[in-house]
Amino acid sequence: MSSYTPMELMICAAARLLEDNSTIVVGTGAPCAAAMLAQRTTAPRLTLLFEAGGVGPRLPRMPISVGDSRTFFQGVMATSMADIMETCQRGMVDYTFIGGAQIDPYGNLNSTIIGDDYNRPKVRLPGSGGANDLGSLCWRTLIMTQHDPRRFVEKLDFMTTPGYLTGPGAREAAGLPRGTGPYRVITNLAVMGFAEETCRMQILSLHPGVTLADVQTATGFELPPACDPLPVTPPPSDEQLEILRNEVDPHRYILGRNAA
Amino acid sequence: MSHAPSHAQSAASVPSQGSGELFSSPDCEALRDAMRQRPRGMVNKLTTVSEAVRRLLSDGEYLAIGGFGGDRIPTAALHEIVRQGRQRLSFAGHTATHDFQILCAGNLTGRGTLLEKVDIAYVVGLEARGLSPHARRVIESGEVATTEWSNYALAVRFRAAAMGVPFLPVRVMLGTDTFNRSAARTVTCPFTGQQLAALPALSPDVAIIHVHEADRYGNCRIRGTTVADFDLARAAKKVIITCERLIPEEEIRRDPSQTIIPYYCVDAVCEVPFGSYPANMPYEYFSDEQHLKAWLQAERDLDTFQAFLEKHIFGVSDFHDYLAICGGTRRLQELRRDELFPAG
């Protein structure tokens, strides 16, 4: 078994979650690497869509913008943003990956401001972009992020993108599509899911060498294990690492970074 | 495929509305009156970028930019707006990245207030490249009024205006602070009782769109993704087109299925080769990541940024000079190769 970085583990764990013959809207960075890895291993018929209108590209290199020409390079269609979002809205997109500066126990995400005054924020972040749309409309939302207490907070400074909002039934009551929501949170420490009865985040597996206490210390809210003992996240296989390093990201655009 | 926790729908919620300011009227009768006044003649609309911006964009108007921030943007027109010192514009920030960065050069740099109101779906960031320090400065200063939306929401708002209706219903933004800080409202479907977000039509005073090819009347072709430009061109009250190259009317007529924007939606046509630089132009040239990095670097310190702007925008007469400063045809050739042979 080769050695690997936390980022490589995250990408490989995320790639395993993507079923073959499904559809996914991805952004740039690690999520795109995970989708590309899945296509080259367990999900060869996974169709990638990009929010600016790219569908089914043969990605020659990692895109730098979700609207750049690589997102439809040798693709099956170059269309509009509304067409992509409406494909999600009518229920044809299985997965999306989104991230944020903060995440709460219900998987709600903040990518708008840091600080408690909207009009004079400490940090102005980009805002929703397509995140609110994708997190509202895709069947399963996957979140990849660095695990630390500043990100995993009980209460967000701003709820940009809906997770399970305030808990069971809240998405449906707000008018969001039935049966959608956050599915997995993949960090440098663990893989999390959401409890059926409470819609609150819980730990599903610990990465090799990581303890339950490590994860809970890095989380600003109560984060229980889903079972006892917790399984260990499978480490990247040699095949995954080989493809990830040599085909998906040979220039180490993503792999050269710290986790998320 | 539905393994997410699912729960029975609870009782219909009370109607709610966001507290954000609506920066433009969704009135479809007023829009029809404005459209009625627009010229319809299939006449020669060729002009220069500086003349088009001078004639068609006034202080205090609402501006929208085509493309996707770092992809197929009308850079020459954006520079010209800053150079001419337009004031108090409203702006539609739907994945506005380098375009927003350029416009922010007209705020907090001793040249008045270029941006006054911004509908935000995505600003300040340049996607994988990081955040723009000066755009952050401008928004965090509080001198710009902002209202939140999502990318799809702004695209739908353009479509509502393009359709000539005052609003459209969607299933996004619901239940979030993005909704609470927007000017959207909830509405109940008269057929199913489903709660939806009603988005007000957005008809910008001026849209500027960079395209691959146009004839002198303004019939336009776009290759690659159209993002929101099909609707934006129809929603706006005035449209300025910049194009990579002019083509003859006969070429348009040879294959009308390629026309994305028809002449009657267009008020000015400007030929600007490499007009999206340093942003990506599909099938023409890739983005100049070195130059975009230089922008982000220069913005960290306001004095350094002023010198950078002087060199690249205020001190140059037109876009040809800007391209020359940035490496000229040698650099453009490299970017064309990046675009056409992305795998190396």
Side-chain angles (χ1 to χ4, degrees):
Chain A
M1 182 67 59
S2 321
S3 67
Y4 52 86
T5 66
M7 176 61 89
E8 287 171 333
L9 175 62
M10 285 170 71
I11 292 170
C12 293
R16 281 195 204 97
L17 294 170
L18 306 176
E19 288 172 26
D20 201 11
N21 297 303
S22 61
T23 48
I24 181 168
V25 176
V26 290
T28 57
C32 188
M36 289 168 76
L37 177 60
Q39 283 184 319
R40 286 160 174 77
T41 51
T42 48
R45 286 179 219 78
L46 175 69
T47 298
L48 271 58
L49 300 92
F50 289 85
E51 68 176 61
V55 180
R58 290 179 180 145
L59 283 173
R61 277 161 78 165
M62 205 70 76
I64 189 146
S65 158
V66 293
D68 80 37
S69 49
R70 292 163 189 173
T71 64
F72 48 90
F73 182 79
Q74 295 179 357
V76 297
M77 179 166 63
T79 180
S80 68
M81 175 185 290
D83 191 17
I84 299 298
M85 296 305 188
E86 285 153 12
T87 304
C88 301
Q89 191 162 252
R90 66 179 182 269
M92 285 204 71
V93 177
D94 300 308
Y95 305 103
T96 191
F97 273 110
I98 47 186
Q102 293 177 328
I103 181 167
D104 77 7
Y106 296 105
N108 302 305
L109 290 158
N110 174 17
S111 59
T112 301
I113 56 160
I114 299 296
D116 49 22
D117 182 355
Y118 171 77
N119 294 305
R120 293 302 300 269
K122 274 191 227 149
V123 183
R124 174 69 214 200
L125 300 167
S128 162
N132 180 293
D133 307 317
L134 298 169
S136 294
L137 302 174
C138 296
W139 287 110
R140 290 172 164 182
T141 296
L142 303 159
I143 297 151
M144 286 173 90
T145 185
Q146 176 85 19
H147 208 134
D148 69 59
R150 288 179 307 112
R151 284 176 186 270
F152 284 69
V153 296
E154 181 67 41
K155 188 171 182 342
L156 304 174
D157 291 350
F158 190 101
M159 193 205 293
T160 311
T161 298
Y164 292 107
L165 300 177
T166 55
R171 280 178 73 95
E172 291 81 352
L176 292 170
R178 190 168 57 213
T180 58
Y183 175 61
R184 293 287 185 270
V185 182
I186 302 130
T187 74
N188 50 316
L189 299 179
V191 176
M192 271 69 63
F194 294 84
E196 175 94 22
E197 321 73 54
T198 62
C199 291
R200 283 184 67 103
M201 200 185 297
Q202 57 182 359
I203 306 169
L204 299 182
S205 70
L206 298 169
H207 294 347
V210 176
T211 66
L212 180 59
D214 292 338
V215 178
Q216 289 174 332
T217 307
T219 305
F221 51 82
E222 195 188 331
L223 183 59
C227 55
D228 182 26
L230 278 169
V232 174
T233 312
S237 69
D238 288 342
E239 187 205 9
Q240 279 185 315
L241 286 174
E242 154 104 22
I243 292 169
L244 184 57
R245 292 169 183 172
N246 298 327
E247 293 179 32
V248 172
D249 189 21
H251 302 288
R252 301 184 58 76
Y253 294 124
I254 311 303
L255 301 180
R257 292 188 209 163
N258 292 326
Chain B
M1 193 163 114
S2 177
H3 300 289
S6 73
H7 303 272
Q9 181 148 2
S10 59
S13 313
V14 288
S16 59
Q17 70 181 78
S19 63
E21 187 186 342
L22 188 54
F23 298 135
S24 58
S25 167
D27 180 355
C28 54
E29 290 294 350
L31 179 62
R32 281 182 61 89
D33 290 342
M35 291 292 179
R36 190 177 196 177
Q37 300 304 318
R38 294 184 70 182
R40 290 138 166 75
M42 191 156 145
V43 298
N44 184 354
K45 295 164 190 168
L46 271 181
T47 185
T48 62
V49 172
S50 72
E51 178 56 27
V53 170
R54 189 167 291 115
R55 182 159 54 85
L56 293 167
L57 178 64
S58 304
D59 289 350
E61 287 196 313
Y62 194 115
L63 172 69
I65 296 295
F68 196 73
D71 310 294
R72 199 170 48 71
I73 59 170
T75 312
L78 290 157
H79 284 196
E80 196 59 34
I81 291 166
V82 175
R83 207 156 31 225
Q84 291 187 18
R86 276 301 165 283
Q87 297 292 300
R88 301 182 314 282
L89 299 180
S90 298
F91 181 69
H94 62 128
T95 302
T97 66
H98 187 55
D99 46 355
F100 189 71
Q101 196 180 15
I102 295 168
L103 293 173
C104 281
N107 284 59
L108 302 180
T109 55
R111 297 180 177 88
T113 304
L114 193 156
L115 291 169
E116 185 178 64
K117 300 171 180 175
V118 181
D119 280 313
I120 296 180
Y122 183 105
V123 297
V124 171
L126 276 87
E127 299 190 72
R129 307 170 187 101
L131 300 180
S132 152
H134 189 67
R136 268 188 64 186
R137 230 174 260 139
V138 170
I139 300 294
E140 290 168 11
S141 75
E143 79 164 12
V144 177
T146 59
T147 300
E148 301 293 320
W149 307 91
S150 66
N151 272 350
Y152 178 49
L154 285 187
V156 167
R157 294 186 62 201
F158 292 143
R159 181 185 294 161
M163 288 171 68
V165 298
F167 79 95
L168 281 174
V170 294
R171 304 190 72 186
V172 300
M173 294 179 27
L174 294 156
T176 63
D177 290 330
T178 305
F179 178 92
N180 296 336
R181 288 286 176 179
S182 77
R185 300 185 182 192
T186 58
V187 65
T188 302
C189 170
F191 303 102
T192 64
Q194 176 70 48
Q195 177 160 277
L196 301 156
L199 302 177
L202 173 53
S203 168
D205 293 307
V206 179
I208 310 179
I209 302 172
H210 187 65
V211 304
H212 289 78
E213 296 173 333
D215 71 11
R216 59 187 179 157
Y217 307 112
N219 296 302
C220 300
R221 292 173 170 179
I222 293 172
R223 298 186 67 203
T225 54
T226 49
V227 193
D229 295 347
F230 181 97
D231 290 318
L232 175 58
R234 287 154 176 80
K237 299 181 189 80
K238 291 174 278 184
V239 174
I240 299 171
I241 295 295
T242 66
C243 63
E244 285 291 316
R245 63 187 75 85
L246 277 173
I247 57 172
E249 176 192 352
E250 288 314 307
E251 173 60 18
I252 292 284
R253 291 186 184 278
R254 191 186 59 77
D255 186 3
S257 63
Q258 285 194 53
T259 303
I260 302 285
I261 302 169
Y263 75 93
Y264 49 81
C265 291
V266 173
D267 298 274
V269 178
C270 315
E271 187 181 30
V272 188
F274 306 103
S276 179
Y277 176 91
N280 178 210
M281 187 67 181
Y283 307 102
E284 303 281 343
Y285 43 92
F286 200 64
S287 48
D288 187 344
E289 294 304 318
Q290 289 169 23
H291 186 60
L292 290 169
K293 193 174 281 180
W295 262 87
L296 289 171
Q297 287 278 350
E299 286 184 6
R300 289 184 187 176
D301 173 74
L302 202 47
D303 290 338
T304 309
F305 187 43
Q306 293 276 21
F308 182 89
L309 292 175
E310 191 55 42
K311 178 181 171 189
H312 291 93
I313 296 185
F314 297 107
V316 302
S317 55
D318 65 13
F319 202 66
H320 294 286
D321 287 358
Y322 171 68
L323 292 176
I325 288 171
C326 295
T329 51
R330 188 185 302 273
R331 183 68 182 139
L332 293 168
Q333 183 182 4
E334 290 167 1
L335 298 174
R336 187 171 66 192
R337 198 167 295 173
D338 269 3
E339 175 64 18
L340 298 180
F341 306 96

